[in-house]
Amino acid sequence: DGGITQSPKYLFRKEGQNVTLSCEQNLNHDAMYWYRQDPGQGLRLIYYSQIVNDFQKGDIAEGYSVSREKKESFPLTVTSAQKNPTAFYLCASSETGENYGYTFGSGTRLTVV
Amino acid sequence: QKEVEQNSGPLSVPEGAIASLNCTYSDRGSQSFFWYRQYSGKSPELIMFIYSNGDKEDGRFTAQLNKASQYVSLLIRDSQPSDSATYLCAAAGWGGADGLTFGKGTHLIIQP
């Protein structure tokens, strides 16, 4: 079955540490996205990529970095510069064009300890 | 700044009744609109999308779009307790490849 896999499901980060969240899709979608969700809040766009080796900043990119070396993979690194990283992180992918739809992974819950 | 506004609720509806969820958006350039359902602690699931003015029906769900009023709604007929969740409205530009803008969601409670 096609889908998006995020790992790990839960992640704990110490102060000053960088951590990387994995996102892999086998839907052959061109576009991939990272969103952050805080309690009682909607999803906010961190980074997105429409094609391999290219990506753009979203609304809240500061303190995060990404890469897109393969079509299937779009890892997100939460750096020590992100001062409030505790949140639910969601990866999504989509086709482009009129009949697109966004498919979400199951999410990674990151907590600073 | 693109914004999508939703009433956070909670919206309480008796089982079997019609639940009506509303959403407004600020960017007139938005072309397509999405409704997602999100259960607590889970990722959003796509219910419907709409890009033409008027109504679009899928089973118990009807999405309505009025671009002149910048207004989107979702009707759920014959509401079931399993429909209790947070419903997220989202807007996208043409093609949507530059990401969706989400509202904060409406918490819906279906009372048995």
Side-chain angles (χ1 to χ4, degrees):
Chain A
D1 286 338
I4 299 180
T5 301
Q6 287 189 245
S7 62
K9 188 172 183 178
Y10 298 96
L11 186 58
F12 298 90
R13 191 193 95 167
K14 294 182 180 179
E15 295 284 349
Q17 233 181 11
N18 291 355
V19 292
T20 297
L21 284 59
S22 172
C23 178
E24 303 275 337
Q25 55 101 358
N26 60 2
L27 299 166
N28 200 34
H29 285 169
D30 290 315
M32 297 186 74
Y33 312 85
W34 275 105
Y35 288 88
R36 167 180 173 146
Q37 187 174 35
D38 295 283
Q41 302 294 314
L43 280 66
R44 291 183 291 169
L45 183 62
I46 303 172
Y47 268 100
Y48 63 98
S49 169
Q50 299 177 9
I51 196 169
V52 174
N53 292 323
D54 189 43
F55 49 83
Q56 284 77 41
K57 293 181 179 180
D59 299 321
I60 55 165
E62 185 174 352
Y64 300 97
S65 65
V66 294
S67 63
R68 187 86 186 276
E69 297 176 0
K70 299 186 298 182
K71 185 175 184 178
E72 303 79 18
S73 179
F74 192 41
L76 174 74
T77 297
V78 184
T79 74
S80 57
Q82 172 49 241
K83 297 307 179 186
N84 186 23
T86 295
F88 188 42
Y89 290 87
L90 288 158
C91 179
S93 70
S94 75
E95 301 173 13
T96 53
E98 191 170 302
N99 296 319
Y100 60 90
Y102 284 61
T103 302
F104 282 90
S106 58
T108 293
R109 194 166 298 278
L110 174 63
T111 304
V112 174
V113 296
Chain B
Q1 181 79 2
K2 300 176 184 178
E3 292 184 343
V4 174
E5 300 287 342
Q6 295 181 257
N7 188 323
S8 62
L11 175 64
S12 186
V13 174
E15 183 176 358
I18 296 175
S20 179
L21 303 162
N22 305 313
C23 167
T24 59
Y25 59 96
S26 63
D27 183 9
R28 285 197 173 273
S30 297
Q31 297 288 335
S32 299
F33 304 88
F34 300 77
W35 284 100
Y36 284 85
R37 177 177 61 199
Q38 187 176 27
Y39 294 112
S40 182
K42 303 296 185 182
S43 62
E45 306 168 81
L46 180 65
I47 299 174
M48 293 187 69
F49 69 90
I50 186 168
Y51 50 85
S52 298
N53 273 327
D55 295 359
K56 179 181 179 181
E57 185 174 321
D58 184 0
R60 295 188 297 113
F61 299 94
T62 299
Q64 300 173 316
L65 173 60
N66 183 326
K67 289 188 177 180
S69 301
Q70 297 177 243
Y71 178 88
V72 192
S73 66
L74 179 70
L75 302 178
I76 307 174
R77 290 181 298 281
D78 188 23
S79 298
Q80 302 297 310
S82 60
D83 294 326
S84 297
T86 295
Y87 289 78
L88 301 170
C89 175
W94 183 249
D98 59 349
L100 299 180
T101 300
F102 283 84
K104 294 183 179 180
T106 297
H107 183 40
L108 176 65
I109 299 171
I110 306 301
Q111 295 182 322

